[in-house]
């Protein structure tokens, strides 16, 4: 059961473990990150700042506080070396592509460049002729990275529909923007009032399962799984 | 999902400003803040408070060019409150606006509506115009930064005298701009020219731009452009490509070939040869375990298979014989992801390569 809300117990963060962050509501995780820790790092609720790579936006590596931690394996059997190298190959490729996005953002501090790399639904989109870079949500970036290691954290074919009000809790800084149909369209949300969006909490419910189950079966999220802990 | 801490700070600042912006700016502009007025094509005020909140979130500090509204002549504003205290307050906030829009990243300036406005009962909109107050904005005439305009990007890509900074910007923003079908030949020519001219650069900013150019170029290639792309791989007698550029070249053509509409995208012998040489050179344990080389090899091998290059079986066999399990596992799965989207002979040939890749592992098991 290797997923926890951080409390006073010391936990060890290993490379490419999944970190989660909450906004105003401590139970509602709003952001997912991949932790970067070539050597294990000890964390708890009061000492929780780690190196990470994430789709903010933007896609970047940084230092960040986490409030939840999930790992595919147990402490005794963490992610395998080969799996880490597979994730690393994916992350390194994206970070290289990201240099161009960094250049765009430095030139034009408007909203549009962020949207060119970010998508809410689906969780990730491969490059196409119009936008020749990968686009992710924060959860999508984590999911796709783990799929490179042949670990499907979430069954995206069986997602509960997420109503707009819940989405606005997931994106508190952009809540009022999501009221605009045009903005919703830009981030991949078509017409309607609810969508099969992968929320961060789903990742942690997936990771809370026994280690062998995490690798064998993609998790089917239920409504309410946006809350964790 | 939640933005970085800097974005949170910006959100908090916006909230604070929207609380403070309960004053009417309308009587101030014409004789008071000429710099803003001159730069602004039009200034719009939302019709109600909820729209105002939305607009301030969009415009400050991230900016948006999507906001529209009705306009009224500027002489409507005369007679507005001009107390000296309010002037000082307006000046402070308008100076903030002035510094934010110094680079004129948006022609819009948001002017707040006040509960104390003498015009409140009549309208929710003011217009302080640098242009003709009768001019009603519409979608076609709305000013857009050139970096989001396909035509303007092409103009700068093609221009012999385009300043270097603008040329770099054109390349960078082409990557995230959609080009209509009739513009794509120009796009491909422009990006090919940029890549050809700068692929050996050691300058980091240029390498980044070349990477962006390669990705956009490749994703917009047609079947007849493959030789031009192939040429980019070649070193000269004095220069060779950086690892970063080689990776982008191999990766992007793989992406494009996987999406190719036709099975006939296999006629460029130069492209097959270049990719074969690249993969062959890097297929060693020592290199694959180093930075980025594994990615180069994987992308090159996928492209070689999609092109049905003559030596594909040999190279796939060599990849398998390296016995780097994580590498062959990942390569096999990536090949399978591509194969699933293909049909007919392309799919069956790629499937055969996957079986060949996995064969020694299966035999050992």
């Amino acid at each position: 059961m290797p997923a926890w809300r951080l409390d006073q117990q010391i936990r060890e963060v290993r490379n490419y473990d999944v970190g989660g962050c909450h906004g105003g509501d401590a139970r509602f995780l709003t952001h997912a990150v991949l932790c970067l820790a070539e050597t294990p790092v000890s964390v708890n609720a009061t000492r929780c700042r780690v190196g990470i790579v994430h789709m903010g936006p933007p896609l970047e590596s940084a230092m960040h506080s986490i409030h939840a931690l999930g790992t595919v394996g147990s402490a005794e059997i963490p992610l395998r070396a080969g799996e880490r190298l597979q994730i690393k190959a994916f992350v390194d490729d994206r970070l290289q592509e990201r240099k161009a996005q960094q250049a765009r953002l430095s030139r034009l501090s408007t909203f549009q460049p962020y949207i060119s790399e970010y998508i809410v639904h689906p969780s990730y989109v491969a490059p196409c002729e119009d936008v020749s870079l990968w686009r992710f949500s924060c959860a999508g970036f984590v999911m796709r990275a783990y799929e490179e290691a042949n670990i499907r954290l979430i069954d995206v074919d069986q997602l509960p529909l997420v109503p707009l009000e819940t989405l606005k809790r997931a994106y508190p800084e952009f809540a009022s923007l999501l009221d605009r149909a045009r903005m919703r369209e830009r981030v991949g949300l078509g017409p309607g009032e609810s969508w099969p969006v992968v929320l961060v909490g789903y990742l942690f419910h997936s990771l809370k399962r026994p280690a062998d189950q995490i690798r064998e079966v993609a998790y089917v999220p239920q409504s309410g799984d946006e809350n964790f802990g | 999902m939640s933005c970085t801490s800097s974005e949170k700070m910006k959100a908090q600042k916006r909230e604070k400003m929207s609380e403070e912006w309960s004053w009417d700016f309308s009587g101030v502009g014409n004789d008071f803040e000429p710099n803003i007025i001159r730069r602004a094509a039009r200034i719009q005020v939302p019709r109600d408070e909820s729209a105002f909140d939305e607009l301030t979130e969009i415009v400050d500090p991230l900016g948006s060019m999507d906001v529209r509204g009705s306009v009224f002549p500027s002489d409507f504003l005369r007679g507005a409150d001009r107390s000296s205290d309010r002037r000082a307050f307006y000046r402070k906030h308008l100076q903030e606006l002035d510094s934010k829009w110094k680079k004129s990243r948006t022609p819009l300036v948001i002017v707040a509506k006040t509960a104390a406005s003498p015009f409140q009962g009549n309208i929710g909109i003011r217009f302080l115009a640098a242009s003709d107050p009768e001019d009603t904005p519409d979608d076609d005439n709305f000013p857009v930064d050139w970096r989001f305009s396909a035509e303007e990007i092409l103009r700068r890509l093609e221009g012999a005298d385009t300043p270097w900074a603008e040329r770099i910007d054109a390349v960078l923003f082409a990557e995230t701009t959609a080009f209509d079908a009739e513009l794509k030949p120009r796009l491909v020519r422009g990006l090919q020219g940029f890549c050809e001219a700068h692929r050996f650069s050691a300058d980091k900013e240029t390498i980044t731009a070349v990477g962006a150019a390669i990705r956009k170029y490749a994703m917009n290639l047609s079947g007849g452009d493959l030789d031009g792309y192939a040429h980019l791989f070649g070193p000269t007698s004095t220069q060779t490509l950086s690892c970063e550029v080689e990776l982008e070249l191999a990766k992007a053509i793989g992406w494009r070939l996987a999406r190719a509409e036709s099975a006939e995208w296999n006629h460029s012998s130069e492209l097959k040869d270049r990719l074969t040489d690249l993969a062959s050179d890097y297929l060693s344990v020592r290199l694959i375990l180093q930075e980025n080389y594994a990615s180069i090899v994987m992308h090159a091998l996928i492209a070689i298979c999609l092109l049905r290059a003559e030596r594909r079986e040999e190279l796939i066999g060599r990849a398998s014989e390296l016995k780097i399990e994580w590498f062959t596992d990942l390569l096999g799965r990536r090949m399978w992801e591509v194969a699933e989207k293909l049909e007919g002979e392309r799919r069956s040939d790629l499937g055969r390569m996957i079986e060949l890749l996995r064969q020694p592992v299966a035999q050992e098991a």
Side-chain angles (χ1 to χ4, degrees):
Chain A
M1 308 280 274
W4 316 270
R5 302 291 307 211
L6 290 187
D7 50 24
Q8 291 311 308
Q9 182 174 350
I10 300 286
R11 309 268 181 206
E12 283 212 324
V13 176
R14 289 180 172 75
N15 220 13
Y16 305 126
D17 281 348
V18 180
C21 315
H22 60 71
D25 180 347
R27 291 195 63 216
F28 193 114
L29 294 175
T30 56
H31 192 46
V33 303
L34 283 178
C35 299
L36 298 178
E38 288 288 346
T39 52
V41 173
S42 296
V43 296
N44 62 11
T46 47
R47 201 175 64 214
C48 57
R49 205 161 163 77
V50 296
I52 57 115
V53 58
H54 70 152
M55 168 53 79
L59 181 68
E60 63 179 357
S61 53
M63 295 296 293
H64 207 283
S65 296
I66 60 172
H67 308 119
L69 178 65
T71 184
V72 165
S74 60
E76 293 74 30
I77 314 173
L79 266 182
R80 299 165 191 146
E83 289 170 336
R84 288 212 169 85
L85 285 169
Q86 289 169 336
I87 293 173
K88 183 180 190 308
F90 171 79
V91 170
D92 286 351
D93 274 3
R94 304 292 82 75
L95 286 177
Q96 170 147 319
E97 291 154 18
R98 200 264 152 189
K99 291 178 189 172
Q101 179 67 352
Q102 190 175 17
R104 283 185 284 271
L105 293 173
S106 71
R107 281 157 166 76
L108 205 65
S109 297
T110 60
F111 196 59
Q112 194 156 342
Y114 287 97
I115 291 297
S116 65
E117 66 174 327
Y118 195 87
I119 190 134
V120 171
H121 176 68
S123 302
Y124 54 81
V125 175
C128 64
E129 55 267 29
D130 287 344
V131 181
S132 53
L133 72 169
W134 280 87
R135 287 175 282 172
F136 305 95
S137 66
C138 66
F141 178 69
V142 171
M143 280 167 54
R144 190 65 181 88
Y146 269 74
E147 284 169 17
E148 291 289 293
N150 203 22
I151 299 168
R152 280 183 69 219
L153 290 175
I154 302 293
D155 185 343
V156 295
D157 295 323
Q158 298 190 67
L159 291 171
L161 293 177
V162 178
L164 181 60
E165 286 310 304
T166 305
L167 270 185
K168 289 163 76 170
R169 291 178 65 206
Y171 294 92
E173 283 85 3
F174 296 101
S176 60
L177 287 178
L178 287 174
D179 283 327
R180 304 173 68 209
R182 186 167 171 174
M183 183 54 65
R184 292 199 300 270
E185 190 185 320
R186 279 189 173 182
V187 294
L189 300 171
E193 296 173 353
S194 60
W195 303 268
V197 172
V198 174
L199 300 177
V200 171
Y202 300 173
L203 299 178
F204 286 84
H205 284 281
S206 173
L207 291 167
K208 205 173 177 181
R209 299 176 294 162
D212 57 347
Q213 214 180 94
I214 294 170
R215 284 191 169 83
E216 290 300 317
V217 180
Y219 180 69
V220 178
Q222 309 297 316
S223 287
D225 278 352
E226 59 269 21
N227 298 306
F228 177 74
Chain B
M1 289 186 174
S2 167
C3 285
T4 60
S5 57
S6 65
E7 293 302 323
K8 283 184 184 168
M9 286 173 62
K10 288 173 186 173
Q12 285 165 359
K13 187 178 179 186
R14 286 197 296 272
E15 196 175 337
K16 185 170 184 302
M17 284 181 72
S18 70
E19 287 169 4
E20 290 178 335
W21 285 17
S22 62
W23 300 91
D24 183 9
F25 285 48
S26 60
V28 186
N30 285 344
D31 62 343
F32 204 62
E33 297 296 339
N35 287 337
I36 288 180
I37 302 305
R38 277 198 285 271
R39 268 205 299 285
R42 44 192 64 82
I43 299 175
Q44 300 179 347
V45 175
R47 292 179 181 275
D48 55 50
E49 292 299 329
S50 63
F52 166 71
D53 289 338
E54 175 184 301
L55 284 169
T56 53
E57 280 202 329
I58 294 168
V59 173
D60 175 31
L62 299 176
S64 168
M65 301 180 190
D66 298 332
V67 179
R68 302 286 189 275
S70 301
V71 299
F72 286 78
S74 56
D75 59 4
F76 202 96
L77 306 166
R78 293 188 188 115
D81 191 324
R82 294 182 178 225
S83 72
S84 58
D85 287 344
R86 279 199 177 182
R87 280 194 177 202
F89 189 86
Y90 298 158
R91 188 191 298 275
K92 173 176 175 289
H93 283 284
L94 286 172
Q95 279 174 348
E96 277 188 16
L97 287 174
D98 189 53
S99 65
K100 282 190 179 63
W101 277 289
K102 268 198 188 323
K103 292 182 185 175
S104 197
R105 69 184 168 211
T106 169
L108 297 181
V109 175
I110 299 301
V111 179
K113 184 179 79 119
T114 177
S117 167
F119 305 109
Q120 183 191 4
N122 299 322
I123 57 168
I125 299 161
R126 280 95 173 108
F127 175 52
L128 301 173
S131 56
D132 184 345
E134 299 304 319
D135 184 19
T136 302
D138 57 54
D139 284 339
D140 290 336
N141 293 328
F142 200 79
V144 173
D145 189 290
W146 72 262
R147 285 166 281 203
F148 299 126
S149 162
E151 278 282 4
E152 289 298 315
I153 287 171
L154 285 175
R155 195 168 65 77
R156 283 157 176 84
L157 266 181
E158 292 164 338
D161 299 325
T162 300
W164 175 245
E166 284 196 12
R167 192 179 298 280
I168 288 278
D169 277 15
V171 169
L172 288 172
F173 284 89
E175 185 172 22
T176 53
T177 300
F179 289 78
D180 291 340
E182 63 267 22
L183 297 179
K184 286 193 183 181
R186 290 171 60 195
L187 173 70
V188 164
R189 277 196 303 274
L191 292 174
Q192 205 276 340
F194 183 85
C195 293
E196 179 72 47
H198 303 292
R199 60 196 168 113
F200 297 123
S201 175
D203 173 70
K204 285 183 182 174
E205 183 187 62
T206 307
I207 292 174
T208 295
V210 168
I214 287 169
R215 291 188 291 272
K216 187 70 172 185
Y217 171 29
M219 291 305 285
N220 286 274
L221 278 175
S222 63
D225 299 324
L226 294 184
D227 283 345
Y229 191 89
H231 182 64
L232 297 178
F233 281 89
T236 67
S237 59
T238 55
Q239 293 173 297
T240 190
L241 298 172
S242 65
C243 177
E244 194 168 330
V245 171
E246 281 187 325
L247 171 58
E248 296 305 324
L249 283 170
K251 176 172 58 179
I253 194 62
W255 289 350
R256 184 64 182 101
L257 290 170
R259 296 166 63 93
E261 301 82 8
S262 156
E264 298 308 313
W265 278 50
N266 59 356
H267 54 269
S268 171
S269 54
E270 184 178 359
L271 185 57
K272 292 178 194 177
D273 290 345
R274 297 287 192 188
L275 286 165
T276 298
D277 288 345
L278 183 69
S280 183
D281 287 348
Y282 289 151
L283 265 172
S284 83
V285 175
R286 190 178 305 115
L287 287 176
I288 280 177
L289 292 178
Q290 290 187 39
E291 213 66 38
N292 283 344
Y293 288 110
S295 276
I296 293 176
V297 174
M298 272 193 252
H299 289 298
L301 285 174
I302 291 171
I304 285 164
C305 291
L306 288 169
L307 286 167
R308 298 168 73 180
E310 286 72 22
R311 291 176 57 194
R312 64 192 185 284
E313 288 191 27
E314 172 209 329
L315 292 170
I316 291 294
R318 279 178 56 188
S320 179
E321 286 161 12
L322 290 176
K323 294 195 173 70
I324 306 176
E325 192 178 323
W326 68 266
F327 175 79
T328 49
D329 171 64
L330 181 55
L331 175 59
R333 281 188 288 105
R334 284 188 180 179
M335 289 168 72
W336 182 240
E337 274 176 22
V338 173
E340 278 188 314
K341 296 182 181 114
L342 302 178
E343 291 175 347
E345 218 174 312
R346 294 178 86 206
R347 181 183 175 120
S348 59
D349 190 78
L350 194 54
R352 199 165 58 79
M353 293 300 108
I354 296 169
E355 283 178 21
L356 183 61
L357 178 71
R358 290 172 174 166
Q359 218 166 19
V361 174
Q363 283 175 352
E364 284 175 359

